[in-house]
């Protein structure tokens, strides 16, 4: 897993790269891998939204 942070539109763009597969292989892997990828993407987006909300509520002083 790797994170990249870069300035973007007055904020910071966070890019996360995860190299993984379902481990199923074959036809099942071809079906499962995209499902795993989408589920992981939803989880990451939700976590980043939670982080953004927390940071907005707790600004640095």
């Amino acid at each position: 897993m790797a994170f990249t942070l870069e300035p973007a539109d007055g904020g910071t763009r966070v890019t996360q790269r995860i190299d993984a597969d379902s481990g199923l292989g074959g036809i099942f892997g071809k079906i499962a891998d995209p499902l795993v990828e989408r589920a992981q993407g939803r989880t990451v987006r939700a976590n980043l939204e939670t982080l953004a909300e927390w940071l907005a509520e707790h600004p640095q002083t």
Side-chain angles (χ1 to χ4, degrees):
M1 178 178 347
F3 288 94
T4 304
L5 304 172
E6 57 189 333
D9 301 323
T12 303
R13 174 176 291 128
V14 178
T15 304
Q16 179 185 32
R17 179 175 173 83
I18 300 173
D19 292 318
D21 59 39
S22 65
L24 296 174
I27 188 69
F28 294 113
K30 288 182 181 182
I31 294 169
D33 287 347
L35 298 174
V36 169
E37 184 177 313
R38 282 194 295 275
Q40 182 64 31
R42 284 191 299 270
T43 299
V44 169
R45 279 189 295 280
N47 289 342
L48 290 174
E49 288 173 7
T50 300
L51 175 60
E53 290 169 5
W54 188 90
L55 290 171
E57 293 171 5
H58 300 87
Q60 290 182 340
T61 55

